[in-house]
């Protein structure tokens, strides 16, 4: 357990006005290539929010994520991925590659993954920085059955965060909730947020940014960035729904 509550530490750090170095690391989802189709990734949205809307112009936001990486690879390259930047806050979203049952030999066990997260939290704290764990988003299991353990690995991140007193951003829960009420056939699938079986599209990155901003206490009501992101997610969730929408004075069916 952290000697001082990390949420309190972060709030005090932000209130102090001191420049903050944010390091955000992980796998391809954080790397943010290709699947946004030229739009900003969630890290870039946070950059605009922090250094733009919040006026924290001396803050630095660094993305060190690498496509295809897993928790142990980040630990093996911890100095370059994290320590070299002398961070104040470090976020980690990982697990989508760790959980595969096909592409790794040997397969990573959930217990091993948990131990890697515990070590990551410990190393970040040893730097004097605040660790933030993010669960990986949900996956379209019809097209990526090898990621069937994604929920188990998301739970591992939750459990480690609880045990270690680390901040948690539950992206997996947010993506799961997104599917609720979006229309027949979408149950259990974050329709509108994915570009392929497990990479968020531009709207998915908007959701990731909103959840991270909320969890870190950066969700200012007057933020133009967040207002735009909320609108993107709303449209992604209901582009053709509900069926009782009114058009020319008559109830319209989904288009």
């Amino acid at each position: 357990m952290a000697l001082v509550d990390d949420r309190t530490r972060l709030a005090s750090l932000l209130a102090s006005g001191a420049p903050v170095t944010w390091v955000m690391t992980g796998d391809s989802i954080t790397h943010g290539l290709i699947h946004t189709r030229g739009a900003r990734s969630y890290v870039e949205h946070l950059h605009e929010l922090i250094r733009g809307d919040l006026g924290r112009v001396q803050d630095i936001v660094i993305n060190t994520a690498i496509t295809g990486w897993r928790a142990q690879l980040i630990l093996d390259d911890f100095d370059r991925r994290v320590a070299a930047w002398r961070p104040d806050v470090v976020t980690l979203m990982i697990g989508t590659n760790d959980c595969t049952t096909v592409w790794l030999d040997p397969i990573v066990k959930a217990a091993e993954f948990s131990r890697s997260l515990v070590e990551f939290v410990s190393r970040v704290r040893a730097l004097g920085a605040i660790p933030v764990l993010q669960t990986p988003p949900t996956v379209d299991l019809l097209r990526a059955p090898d990621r069937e353990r994604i929920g188990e690995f998301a739970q591992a991140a939750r459990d480690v965060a609880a045990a270690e007193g680390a901040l948690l951003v539950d992206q997996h829960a947010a993506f799961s909730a997104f599917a609720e009420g979006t229309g027949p056939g979408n149950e259990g699938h974050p329709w509108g947020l994915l570009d392929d079986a497990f990479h968020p599209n531009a709207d998915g990155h908007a959701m990731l940014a909103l959840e991270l901003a909320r969890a870190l206490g950066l969700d200012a009501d007057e933020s133009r960035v967040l207002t735009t992101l909320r609108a993107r997610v709303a449209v992604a969730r209901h582009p053709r729904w509900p069926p009782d929408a009114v058009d020319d004075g008559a109830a319209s069916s989904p288009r």
Side-chain angles (χ1 to χ4, degrees):
M1 182 68 69
L3 294 179
V4 178
D5 177 72
D6 283 346
R7 190 173 301 281
T8 300
R9 288 180 61 202
L10 179 58
S12 298
L13 178 62
L14 294 174
S16 73
V20 174
T21 299
W22 310 75
V23 170
M24 301 185 182
T25 197
D27 53 31
S28 58
I29 296 172
T30 300
H31 197 169
L33 302 183
I34 301 173
H35 299 283
T36 62
R37 310 286 176 168
R40 288 178 174 172
S41 69
Y42 82 86
V43 177
E44 291 168 324
H45 289 311
L46 265 292
H47 179 275
E48 184 182 11
L49 170 64
I50 291 168
R51 302 188 71 235
D53 283 1
L54 299 181
R56 302 185 59 88
V57 295
Q58 294 243 349
D59 283 17
I60 298 174
V61 181
I62 300 166
N63 185 348
T64 68
I66 298 178
T67 296
W69 277 40
R70 307 182 304 278
Q72 186 58 51
L73 292 176
I74 291 176
L75 290 175
D76 292 343
D77 197 29
F78 188 82
D79 285 348
R80 178 61 180 165
R81 300 275 71 78
V82 179
W85 306 101
R86 300 172 61 188
D88 298 295
V89 181
V90 183
T91 74
L92 172 66
M93 183 193 295
I94 205 73
T96 301
N97 297 314
D98 305 72
C99 76
T100 182
T101 56
V102 173
W103 303 107
L104 296 181
D105 186 16
I107 292 173
V108 177
K109 296 180 180 179
E112 296 174 73
F113 178 70
S114 295
R115 287 193 291 271
S116 294
L117 295 186
V118 170
E119 184 175 349
F120 182 87
V121 168
S122 176
R123 289 196 194 182
V124 169
R125 286 188 173 142
L127 299 175
I130 299 168
V132 179
L133 298 180
Q134 300 194 74
T135 58
T138 53
V139 166
D140 179 357
L141 293 178
L142 290 177
R143 293 187 290 165
D146 66 296
R147 262 75 174 187
E148 64 183 354
R149 297 188 300 159
I150 191 74
E152 183 180 355
F153 279 59
Q155 187 58 49
R158 295 185 191 106
D159 293 343
V160 169
E164 299 298 317
L167 290 172
L168 176 74
V169 186
D170 201 342
Q171 304 286 9
H172 193 275
F175 271 57
S176 295
F178 176 90
E180 296 176 5
T182 56
N186 299 323
E187 295 79 6
H189 178 62
W191 186 63
L193 297 184
L194 296 180
D195 185 58
D196 63 7
F198 48 82
H199 289 98
N201 59 18
D203 297 330
H205 276 266
M207 171 71 91
L208 295 174
L210 287 170
E211 284 300 304
L212 184 55
R214 181 192 58 76
L216 297 183
L218 302 174
D219 53 344
D221 290 337
E222 66 275 12
S223 167
R224 292 173 297 175
V225 172
L226 296 181
T227 296
T228 299
L229 297 182
R230 292 185 189 108
R232 291 199 67 150
V233 171
V235 172
R237 188 168 189 269
H238 291 302
R240 299 179 297 175
W241 203 258
D244 57 353
V246 175
D247 183 14
D248 294 330
S252 63
S253 59
R255 298 185 298 276

